[in-house]
Amino acid sequence: DLGHPAFGHSGEVALNRLMKDHNGFDHNKQSVRIVTKLEERYPDFPGLNLTWEVREGMVKHESEYDISDASGYDPDLRGNMETQIANMADELAYTAHDLDDGLRSGMITPSQLEGIELWEILSETYNWHGTILDDISRHRMIRHLVGIEVSDVIRATDMRIKDSDVDSPIAVQKLPHNLLGHSEDMIRRNRELKDFLYTKLYRHYRVVRMAVKAERIISDLFQAYIDEPAILPAHIQSLIEERGLERTACDYIAGMTDRYAVDEHRKLFDPFVKP
């Protein structure tokens, strides 16, 4: 996820829209671009000295929301086992920590989760029933959720390995399905939790408001740099001839943290803030 811009998915949507006439923007491709072209650590070549397999794994990073474009990296083959592990870990952490954040922020309440099977399992495990979830109980339940998910992946994957009879890394990649994954029961339970999070958290008005603000900040910065490249730092301006103005501005924004992007926006558009 090196290629994720400021504000994560919202920033990626904004940059892809702004770059639609210049080959777009995709955080997977940007991750590979960083490690093959943008980083400068060696005198004889750009990028980092990474193996083909590591770069292939980065290209084939995907989730149900992000489908990779693996052009140039054997697109007909699945990600290797390490890639599948990374993809699963990313998705597992994403769901568990979004639930944690939703509960901690108050955008999700325990009563809303009643009837969600995974939540019922967690509640029964710790004999917790109530309306106010204290921090310690929340931490314990989220940790247990991660443990449940990981254990299920290990058991289900072990069964698939035995059933598939694979005998080499390339055999894993040639399978018509991912070797690593959840059991059917856990897939169903996760689908229920993810659908809940989408409806109650990702579309919560406070989250949507932040996404709108994020896209506006990204759009304002990009347009300001395009309209007047001289406001870019000198070392960024020096890259324009090689990369083109739009891609240079995009690379610069893609490397920002949320806080840096907000501060940069204030410096450019708030007359009372020093540039």
Side-chain angles (χ1 to χ4, degrees), residues 34-86:
I34 288 170
V35 301
T36 59
K37 295 181 179 179
L38 303 188
E39 282 292 317
E40 297 180 356
R41 293 293 182 269
Y42 300 93
D44 299 327
F45 56 88
L48 305 179
N49 190 22
L50 301 181
T51 65
W52 190 92
E53 288 79 9
V54 170
R55 288 180 279 119
E56 178 198 21
M58 295 177 71
V59 169
K60 293 181 178 178
H61 170 65
E62 61 184 20
S63 68
E64 64 178 277
Y65 305 109
D66 297 308
I67 305 303
S68 64
D69 175 6
S71 301
Y73 287 86
D74 290 338
D76 295 332
L77 296 180
R78 295 188 169 273
N80 56 40
M81 198 62 172
E82 291 86 348
T83 300
Q84 293 183 34
I85 291 170

Side-chain angles (χ1 to χ4, degrees), residues 74-275:
D74 290 338
D76 295 332
L77 296 180
R78 295 188 169 273
N80 56 40
M81 198 62 172
E82 291 86 348
T83 300
Q84 293 183 34
I85 291 170
N87 289 343
M88 178 57 65
D90 183 56
E91 186 171 338
L92 191 158
Y94 192 96
T95 300
H97 290 297
D98 280 354
L99 175 60
D100 189 22
D101 289 343
L103 287 166
R104 180 173 48 81
S105 67
M107 286 188 279
I108 295 173
T109 63
S111 60
Q112 289 177 299
L113 284 158
E114 291 177 1
I116 302 296
E117 188 171 350
L118 280 171
W119 179 255
E120 296 294 343
I121 291 171
L122 298 176
S123 298
E124 289 300 324
T125 298
Y126 291 102
N127 194 28
W128 184 92
H129 303 282
T131 57
I132 300 176
L133 185 64
D134 61 275
D135 288 344
I136 295 299
S137 296
R138 191 186 78 249
H139 287 314
R140 293 176 72 196
M141 294 167 83
I142 295 299
R143 283 198 302 269
H144 189 58
L145 174 60
V146 173
I148 291 173
E149 299 274 0
V150 170
S151 296
D152 179 80
V153 169
I154 292 172
R155 286 192 298 267
T157 300
D158 183 56
M159 292 179 62
R160 289 194 190 94
I161 290 173
K162 292 173 181 175
D163 292 342
S164 64
D165 200 30
V166 293
D167 58 0
S168 68
I170 194 65
V172 172
Q173 294 185 268
K174 287 182 176 179
L175 288 173
H177 55 80
N178 283 338
L179 195 59
L180 188 131
H182 284 294
S183 66
E184 292 299 321
D185 279 347
M186 190 59 74
I187 290 172
R188 175 182 54 78
R189 291 167 179 166
N190 280 331
R191 180 74 274 151
E192 181 184 40
L193 178 57
K194 288 176 181 179
D195 289 345
F196 170 86
L197 290 172
Y198 179 82
T199 302
K200 300 298 184 181
L201 180 62
Y202 306 148
R203 299 305 300 168
H204 191 284
Y205 78 93
R206 285 166 57 188
V207 176
V208 175
R209 283 182 178 181
M210 190 61 238
V212 170
K213 286 196 286 187
E215 291 195 34
R216 179 170 297 172
I217 289 170
I218 295 290
S219 298
D220 286 349
L221 290 176
F222 183 86
Q223 196 57 54
Y225 299 147
I226 298 303
D227 290 343
E228 181 48 84
I231 65 175
L232 286 163
H235 70 285
I236 302 297
Q237 292 183 46
S238 67
L239 302 171
I240 293 174
E241 183 175 356
E242 174 191 351
R243 301 180 189 174
L245 176 56
E246 288 79 10
R247 185 56 63 181
T248 299
C250 180
D251 284 343
Y252 184 44
I253 294 171
M256 294 180 180
T257 62
D258 294 4
R259 184 180 298 278
Y260 189 95
V262 170
D263 288 345
E264 184 76 349
H265 191 271
R266 291 178 62 226
K267 290 175 182 177
L268 290 177
F269 296 101
D270 187 335
F272 300 103
V273 176
K274 292 182 179 181

